[in-house]
Amino acid sequence: MKVAVFSTKSYDKEYLDKANENGKHELVYFESSLKPKTARLAENYDAVCVFVNDSITKEVIEQLSLLKIKAIVLRCAGFNNVDIESACNNNIKVLRVPAYSPNAVAEHAVALILTLNRKTHKAYNRVREGNFSIERLTGFELSGKTAGVIGTGKIGTVFASIMKGFGCNVIAFDAFQNKTLIDAGITYLPLEEVIKTADIISLHCPLTPETNHLINKNTLSLMKMGAMLINTSRGKLIDTDAAIESLKEGRLGYLGIDVYEQEEKLFFKDLSEIVILDDKISRLMTFPNVLVTAHQAYFTDNALSQIAQTTIQNLTDLENNSINSQNQVCINVIKQ
Ligand code: NAI
């Protein structure tokens, strides 16, 4: 298949080329993201390959349809950035990588927690400047704390098990209860109870119309004073303005995010020499109790290999007309 690969970074090319043994598929790499202005680049290709911040709107899909693109192949699990209904209406298949090392994301969520609770990011900077004082680096222990997991799918399940290992009391909310977690001593509670009770809340549900701004002024007001909130799922799960207000009040005691509402304009880019115009992220970065990473939770050698292998397999399956139904996103999936 001839594939236009959008939003390419050096590591995408490295891992995709390695997985694309003997040059089976013709992969052409574009640094640009896929958006209305760049969709024309896909002319004369069979498929486009995209990532989390490519914006595959109805307008883009209609352009892809005119270019006779057969498939949109995602190098990620989440598909909230694709207008699935339009893709189906235009007979364009959408494939994704439903599972790739859930440990990568779960462990990153834990890394955010351990950095925030033990202030290792501050200690690192202090020691490098010859400041060996430990004043104001007092942390808190995870053992005995209550960790609340929202969404106990593949990643949430690994996260819950790790937190259990730290000696936390783990509570969870999900419409589908995982028996293995219940057997391991994890208690499912209604969403409001989890939010009210947890010392640490970690979001592991997808972004859907229902979960958009799941964490908002109202839910933030229910949290324990000084609670920690971790988001490695999708930025729009949190209303950033409400989180900033809650941080100012001191109710939100710590915020660790790997995803951000307006990340498309920032993440995966080196903006170190540019004035950042996004005042919300700039404000967030002024708080001493906020830690931001730029969508790197998935970014491990294991995960990159798995993503590349499944992506190449998806292309081969498309070519052979033998699509793995678990990798295909269709209307009935999103209406579940
Ligand atoms: P999954 O599909 O295995 O699990 C999602 C779980 O969320 C399911 O159990 C589902 O029932 C539950 N859920 C759906 N709506 C919910 C709601 N309203 N409240 C509570 N739970 C709800 O997905 P997986 O693989 O665990 O991934 C979770 C999310 O992590 C993805 O949707 C994606 O947004 C994010 N992600 C982030 C990455 C990163 O690098 N930061 C990388 C990979 C995924």
Side-chain angles (χ1 to χ4, degrees):
M1 276 204 144
K2 196 171 172 196
V3 187
V5 184
F6 285 86
S7 297
T8 308
K9 299 287 178 198
S10 61
Y11 44 86
D12 295 309
K13 186 172 182 318
E14 181 190 336
Y15 283 83
L16 282 170
D17 281 347
K18 209 193 285 176
N20 186 28
E21 281 169 29
N22 310 322
K24 186 170 173 24
H25 299 287
E26 189 183 337
L27 307 179
V28 178
Y29 296 100
F30 296 99
E31 280 180 26
S32 164
S33 61
L34 178 55
K35 53 191 173 201
K37 274 189 187 159
T38 60
R40 273 187 312 139
L41 290 171
E43 190 167 7
N44 297 325
Y45 290 85
D46 301 307
V48 292
C49 178
V50 296
F51 196 48
V52 289
N53 289 330
D54 289 288
S55 181
I56 305 109
T57 56
K58 186 168 187 243
E59 186 184 352
V60 168
I61 286 172
E62 280 166 359
Q63 289 193 54
L64 295 179
S65 172
L66 290 175
L67 298 174
K68 302 198 168 28
I69 290 292
K70 297 186 192 77
I72 297 163
V73 180
L74 292 150
R75 307 193 290 281
C76 54
F79 47 86
N80 51 282
N81 53 333
V82 183
D83 186 331
I84 302 295
E85 197 158 354
S86 292
C88 289
N89 292 341
N90 285 282
N91 212 12
I92 296 180
K93 297 192 169 61
V94 181
L95 288 107
R96 64 176 181 138
V97 184
Y100 54 91
S101 187
N103 301 61
V105 183
E107 288 175 14
H108 191 78
V110 176
L112 293 176
I113 294 172
L114 287 169
T115 308
L116 285 168
N117 81 326
R118 301 308 300 267
K119 305 189 170 97
T120 46
H121 54 319
K122 294 182 186 192
Y124 173 81
N125 285 327
R126 275 196 197 181
V127 169
R128 280 174 72 93
E129 297 207 345
N131 176 359
F132 298 96
S133 161
I134 58 169
E135 289 276 357
R136 300 183 314 283
L137 293 183
T138 321
F140 69 86
E141 293 171 25
L142 295 181
S143 176
K145 291 283 182 298
T146 298
V149 190
I150 300 183
T152 53
K154 291 176 285 297
I155 296 169
T157 295
V158 176
F159 176 80
S161 310
I162 299 174
M163 297 311 281
K164 194 79 189 153
F166 276 114
C168 289
N169 167 37
V170 182
I171 56 176
F173 170 73
D174 195 310
F176 303 95
Q177 303 197 351
N178 178 340
K179 189 170 175 312
T180 318
L181 288 183
I182 297 173
D183 292 345
I186 284 146
T187 312
Y188 280 92
L189 293 173
L191 178 63
E192 207 173 296
E193 282 308 304
V194 173
I195 291 176
K196 277 184 185 164
T197 320
D199 300 296
I200 299 161
I201 296 170
S202 195
L203 307 177
H204 297 289
C205 54
L207 176 65
T208 62
E210 189 199 336
T211 60
N212 189 50
H213 285 186
L214 178 83
I215 303 297
N216 52 42
K217 192 176 173 193
N218 177 40
T219 43
L220 281 159
S221 73
L222 300 174
M223 282 185 195
K224 268 183 160 174
M225 202 67 189
M228 183 188 287
L229 175 64
I230 302 294
N231 187 9
T232 54
S233 277
R234 285 293 180 264
K236 287 193 173 76
L237 295 180
I238 300 181
D239 176 346
T240 311
D241 288 324
I244 289 171
E245 283 314 306
S246 188
L247 283 160
K248 288 203 261 184
E249 279 167 27
R251 178 159 299 277
L252 189 53
Y254 304 86
L255 177 66
I257 53 172
D258 184 55
V259 286
Y260 167 64
E261 276 199 88
Q262 310 293 341
E263 70 177 51
E264 302 78 27
K265 296 194 184 99
L266 303 166
F267 287 10
F268 308 122
K269 299 181 178 121
D270 178 1
L271 304 180
S272 51
E273 300 294 320
I274 292 169
V275 173
I276 296 199
L277 299 176
D278 184 322
D279 291 344
K280 288 184 200 176
I281 194 98
S282 300
R283 181 69 182 99
L284 277 178
M285 289 187 301
T286 65
F287 289 99
N289 48 354
V290 171
L291 183 60
V292 182
T293 55
H295 211 133
Q296 69 171 83
Y298 78 101
F299 201 52
T300 65
D301 177 55
N302 261 358
L304 287 173
S305 298
Q306 287 174 25
I307 290 170
Q309 280 162 19
T310 308
T311 302
I312 297 297
Q313 189 61 50
N314 280 342
L315 292 170
T316 305
D317 292 348
L318 267 165
E319 204 167 51
N320 298 338
N321 213 6
S322 60
I323 295 172
N324 176 346
S325 60
Q326 289 194 326
N327 296 3
Q328 187 171 11
V329 188
C330 31
I331 290 291
N332 42 354
V333 172
I334 53 171
K335 286 194 173 156
Q336 269 174 14

